[in-house]
Amino acid sequence: MSRRLGLFFTLFLSTSLLAGPAAASEWRILAQFDDAPEGLVDDGEGGFYVSLFHSGHVMQVAADGTVEQIADLRTVIGEAKGSTVGIDWDGEDTLYVAFSEYSKRFPWPAEAELSVEACGDATVTRSGLYAVTLSSGKVEPVVTRADGYPFCFPDDPVVASDGSIYLSDLSLKGIWKIDPEEKSAVLWSKDPLFDPAGKSLSGYPVGVNGIALAPDESALFGVTGGIPMLVKVPIEADGSAGKAEMLTFGYDNMDGLEVDPQGNFYLTETLRSEIWKVSPDAGRREQLGEPLQAPLGAPASLAFGDDSICVTNLNFFGHLPDDKARSIACRKLGPTLW
């Protein structure tokens, strides 16, 4: 073998080892629940706040995995059937929780192709954004369809530094901006890039799912499900949405998104149950986990622990055995490719 060819194989092997999926030993189950967890955000104390998909319960998980229920959306939404999805914390005493009510006429997600039609069901009134006061556990609606807003599938809220809230809408294929003090909302962005327009590559005719702000809040990033990609929406000087641009593609149905202080992106894929890290310029990516080597089953939301990245296992497609399902899985973050 020539010296040049030998060097090539050495570099290839080194890169492959660095870029390969995390070994099973790097992942651990932090906590399990009696319902599937979906939304996830750190609690500032080494633990997390978690929303449970079917029950409407909001939980707190300590750093040692101890689980405590802190609120119940059922005190406000009653027996409405739906998905309790993304959550975010204002850093003080309020958690914001998205809830999407199912339609009896056009069920979602049983028939994905009917998800948009479900948005037009006038009997659906509970979909929207809710506030949980942490000190009391009290739940109150912020904005919902009962207020006249045409929410379709409210999905992932993100609290900005000025207190306003961005909220993705999976089936409307848009992003709302909400003033929690005024209890008002505007459709901030419905960029064509969010909409598969009948040409879904994942099999699900949905739009933007997980969203996250840039560290300097100059842009809002999102992951899409119908035509899976990572997108950037500039935030203009007047607060309006700029034209969205694609940063990277080549994934399957995408769900969760987080951005670290250095601008790296962390993405979840639900169908392939994979976790990816993408460089700030979107030129490099590293797989942090996949189901053959990690306890991952339709991972949904992500959040950073003290030295770890953690995900909720929605297990939407039944990938995980019962002893690992309905869980939060975590792995320590170590050296990276860049």
Side-chain angles (χ1 to χ4, degrees):
M1 180 184 296
S2 70
R3 184 169 178 269
R4 183 176 181 182
L5 188 58
L7 177 60
F8 169 82
F9 278 110
T10 299
L11 290 172
F12 176 81
L13 180 59
S14 299
T15 304
S16 298
L17 290 172
L18 284 168
S25 61
E26 294 180 334
W27 284 89
R28 62 187 178 92
I29 299 294
L30 174 65
Q32 282 191 282
F33 309 89
D34 58 6
D35 185 14
E38 212 287 350
L40 188 70
V41 65
D42 77 275
D43 66 0
E45 299 178 354
F48 302 94
Y49 298 114
V50 187
S51 64
L52 299 187
F53 193 70
H54 301 288
S55 66
H57 295 164
V58 180
M59 319 296 285
Q60 185 171 17
V61 180
D64 64 0
T66 304
V67 177
E68 176 186 5
Q69 181 176 315
I70 58 172
D72 184 356
L73 261 62
R74 295 286 167 202
T75 59
V76 174
I77 64 173
E79 297 302 313
K81 295 184 183 300
S83 299
T84 306
V85 266
I87 62 175
D88 202 15
W89 177 41
D90 70 354
E92 297 180 5
D93 197 31
T94 307
L95 274 178
Y96 292 100
V97 186
F99 177 76
S100 294
E101 184 179 358
Y102 300 155
S103 167
K104 296 176 182 178
R105 295 180 174 87
F106 302 105
W108 195 103
E111 296 182 61
E113 67 273 12
L114 295 179
S115 61
V116 174
E117 284 82 349
C119 305
D121 185 348
T123 67
V124 172
T125 60
R126 300 293 192 181
S127 296
L129 187 70
Y130 293 79
V132 173
T133 301
L134 293 172
S135 57
S136 66
K138 184 179 181 181
V139 180
E140 297 178 282
V142 180
V143 283
T144 70
R145 281 175 64 100
D147 300 312
Y149 293 105
F151 298 115
C152 281
F153 196 93
D155 197 309
D156 191 26
V158 171
V159 181
S161 60
D162 65 359
S164 61
I165 302 163
Y166 297 92
L167 175 66
S168 65
D169 195 319
L170 186 67
S171 296
L172 187 64
K173 307 174 187 69
I175 299 170
W176 298 88
K177 190 174 183 180
I178 296 167
D179 184 330
E181 296 296 325
E182 297 292 331
K183 294 193 172 183
S184 62
V186 295
L187 187 57
W188 183 71
S189 176
K190 200 175 188 307
D191 197 277
L193 202 58
F194 303 153
D195 194 342
K199 299 178 181 179
S200 172
L201 298 180
S202 68
Y204 294 90
V206 294
V208 63
N209 197 323
I211 56 175
L213 281 164
D216 63 0
E217 300 195 7
S218 63
L220 186 74
F221 301 100
V223 289
T224 58
I227 299 180
M229 67 182 88
L230 171 65
V231 299
K232 174 183 177 180
V233 184
I235 299 175
E236 305 292 2
D238 63 356
S240 63
K243 181 177 175 56
E245 60 178 293
M246 180 183 69
L247 298 183
T248 185
F249 65 100
Y251 303 88
D252 212 309
N253 186 35
M254 301 172 77
D255 193 324
L257 173 66
E258 283 296 330
V259 181
D260 69 17
Q262 292 73 45
N264 297 295
F265 304 99
Y266 296 78
L267 323 171
T268 66
E269 289 186 354
T270 54
L271 286 174
R272 298 203 300 238
S273 295
E274 295 173 346
I275 313 294
W276 291 90
K277 180 180 179 180
V278 177
S279 63
D281 64 359
R284 297 185 179 186
R285 68 177 187 171
E286 176 185 6
Q287 190 181 87
L288 300 181
E290 52 86 28
L292 295 180
Q293 298 188 6
L296 299 173
S301 300
L302 303 123
F304 298 109
D306 290 338
D307 60 354
S308 305
I309 185 77
C310 296
V311 298
T312 51
N313 277 316
L314 189 56
N315 205 33
F316 206 64
F317 307 101
H319 295 160
L320 288 172
D322 194 60
D323 65 335
K324 293 182 175 63
R326 306 178 307 281
S327 63
I328 296 174
C330 302
R331 63 155 288 181
K332 287 189 175 182
L333 291 172
T336 187
L337 288 172
W338 53 87

